[in-house]
Amino acid sequence: RWICMYYPEFNQVFGDWEGKAALLILKECPIPQIIQERGIEGIIGIWKKQKIRAVGRKRAAKLIEAAHNTIATKEGLVSAKNDLDILLEDYERKMQQLERTMAIVESLAMQIPGFDKLLEIKGIGLVTAAGFVAEVGDVKRFSHSKQIQKLAGLSLRENSSGKHKGETTICKRGRKRLRYYLTFGIMPLLSKNEEFRALHLYYTTRNNNPLKKMQSLIALSNKL
């Protein structure tokens, strides 16, 4: 909300305001006027000081151009800068709390027999693995993976009535959080796991009954 009010073009320069380079600009040059005063060399100097190499002169020039053509409000900028400082302080505090909490989660999760095997799956992180175990419990109590699919509400059903034959969808009758971890946990696998990426390509391009992208993601969630 703050960015939309005081520098709406910021998100056109940075895809994610939580990135290191973006956060440094918000801290050092929070409003377009300050960015214009710093200039290209000043902006680059901020990044070099923190040894950030992913951004450079081209990004700095784009940032200054956006600041020059901004449609942001020019009123109450002193107050706006103070508001942003408070927001960023709160953000950093929350991130420290999150880091501390995740350290506890990792410590407890690693005490569960077989948890380390889940993390050996390329693309599976701590959050997905811990969420899966928290929802499923002892995996040994299941005799087949389809039972876990059913528990997650990922079983397929046909939406038909009388002579009408509708589309096949997942039933969603199960644990919502487990379904969340399995469906959203599949996204990192597509970028990091060669086997799952190959399966996705096969499912969506096969000659016989090719799947739509979302259908493929559901199939891969069941595979996971």
Side-chain angles (χ1 to χ4, degrees):
R1 180 178 177 275
W2 189 97
I3 291 173
C4 288
M5 290 175 61
Y6 297 103
Y7 196 178
E9 296 81 9
F10 186 86
N11 289 327
Q12 298 174 10
V13 180
F14 297 99
D16 182 8
W17 66 266
E18 293 184 273
K20 290 182 179 179
L23 277 174
L24 278 174
I25 295 301
L26 288 176
K27 289 179 182 178
E28 300 282 339
C29 310
I31 54 179
Q33 288 83 344
I34 297 178
I35 288 176
Q36 293 183 68
E37 291 171 4
R38 289 290 183 97
I40 292 178
E41 297 302 328
I43 298 298
I44 294 175
I46 293 172
W47 293 329
K48 280 186 176 180
K49 188 177 179 180
Q50 297 298 324
K51 298 180 180 179
I52 297 178
R53 300 176 180 177
V55 288
R57 183 172 297 274
K58 186 176 180 180
R59 184 72 64 91
K62 188 176 180 181
L63 188 65
I64 292 174
E65 182 183 359
H68 180 73
N69 298 321
T70 185
I71 59 171
T73 179
K74 296 179 175 58
E75 303 295 328
L77 297 183
V78 174
S79 175
K81 186 179 182 305
N82 182 60
D83 289 343
L84 181 60
D85 288 340
I86 293 172
L87 288 169
L88 291 176
E89 287 172 8
D90 288 343
Y91 169 79
E92 290 178 351
R93 189 178 300 110
K94 289 298 181 187
M95 292 305 292
Q96 290 171 359
Q97 293 170 354
L98 175 62
E99 187 176 342
R100 187 169 66 245
T101 301
M102 292 310 297
I104 295 173
V105 170
E106 183 175 12
S107 175
L108 293 173
M110 292 305 292
Q111 297 176 29
I112 300 171
F115 187 82
D116 56 329
K117 296 297 182 182
L118 297 179
L119 295 179
E120 288 179 6
I121 302 173
K122 193 174 181 180
I124 291 296
L126 177 63
V127 173
T128 300
F132 176 82
V133 171
E135 291 296 318
V136 172
D138 185 6
V139 180
K140 292 180 181 178
R141 66 193 180 97
F142 298 96
S143 59
H144 199 282
S145 61
K146 287 188 179 296
Q147 292 173 300
I148 300 179
Q149 294 174 19
K150 188 175 181 180
L151 181 68
L154 287 172
S155 299
L156 298 179
R157 71 173 182 183
E158 188 180 274
N159 297 315
S160 302
S161 177
K163 294 182 179 180
H164 172 72
K165 186 176 181 179
E167 293 185 352
T168 300
T169 60
I170 58 175
C171 69
K172 294 187 178 181
R173 291 184 62 182
R175 297 198 172 187
K176 183 178 180 181
R177 286 181 182 152
L178 177 57
R179 187 164 62 252
Y180 169 85
Y181 287 119
L182 288 172
T183 53
F184 283 87
I186 209 70
M187 300 310 293
L189 285 170
L190 292 182
S191 61
K192 298 178 181 180
N193 192 299
E194 295 81 3
E195 288 83 359
F196 275 86
R197 189 161 59 243
L199 277 172
H200 182 57
L201 179 64
Y202 167 71
Y203 285 150
T204 54
T205 59
R206 62 189 181 188
N207 293 327
N208 185 24
N209 189 29
L211 301 180
K212 296 177 181 178
K213 182 179 179 180
M214 187 55 66
Q215 291 174 325
S216 176
L217 293 180
I218 295 299
L220 290 173
S221 297
N222 283 322
K223 199 76 173 176
L224 177 62

